[in-house]
Amino acid sequence: QELELRKENFYIKDIIRNIVNELKDIVKEKKQSVEIRVDDSMVNGDINLIEKALKNIISNSIKYTPEKGKIEIEADKDGQYVHILVRDNGRGIKKEELEKIFEPFYTSEKGGVGLAIAKSIVEGHDGRIWAESEFGKGTTFHILLKRVGK
């Protein structure tokens, strides 16, 4: 389904900081650490939708990372894109499930509607999203979004 995008320029770091701030109580409750290393990349897109996509990914990392676990969020220029990584040391995703997690209504604990929505939003912005995982050791989500400027 086509998304109607209300595009504007914004800094990706502002969105990430807002999301982490919004989720800080859960992080504190689970005694997790969240490390943010985000450059000053600017994106042109629908700020509300991109925030929704990133929040789905970041909240999943928090949810599936154990107490005292670590979540790292990085964003850096990568050619014409900003490459966002959300890495955790949670339980990870089995190899056979990795390709299915972005399918709508996939019923694995790691899947569901949230990741399908995130994929739809990212791809609707001419971006790309994928995950790498080692079961029992953690997961890294990669998001590429077209950036503005040099």
Side-chain angles (χ1 to χ4, degrees), residues 40-56:
D40 61 351
S41 291
M42 188 176 277
V43 171
N44 179 271
D46 188 312
I47 191 168
N48 293 321
L49 289 175
I50 290 176
E51 183 171 22
K52 182 178 185 123
L54 290 174
K55 188 175 181 183
N56 282 338

Side-chain angles (χ1 to χ4, degrees), residues 94-119:
K94 293 177 183 169
K95 194 173 242 175
E96 62 272 13
E97 294 180 353
L98 207 50
E99 292 301 315
K100 300 174 187 172
I101 61 171
F102 293 104
E103 293 175 9
F105 306 109
Y106 180 67
T107 56
S108 167
E109 284 186 77
K110 263 294 203 197
V113 181
L115 294 178
I117 290 169
K119 180 178 178 166

Side-chain angles (χ1 to χ4, degrees), residues 113-139:
V113 181
L115 294 178
I117 290 169
K119 180 178 178 166
S120 175
I121 291 169
V122 169
E123 290 178 351
H125 283 82
D126 298 319
R128 213 175 132 227
I129 184 170
W130 71 98
E132 298 172 331
S133 188
E134 191 174 338
F135 191 67
K137 296 200 175 182
T139 303

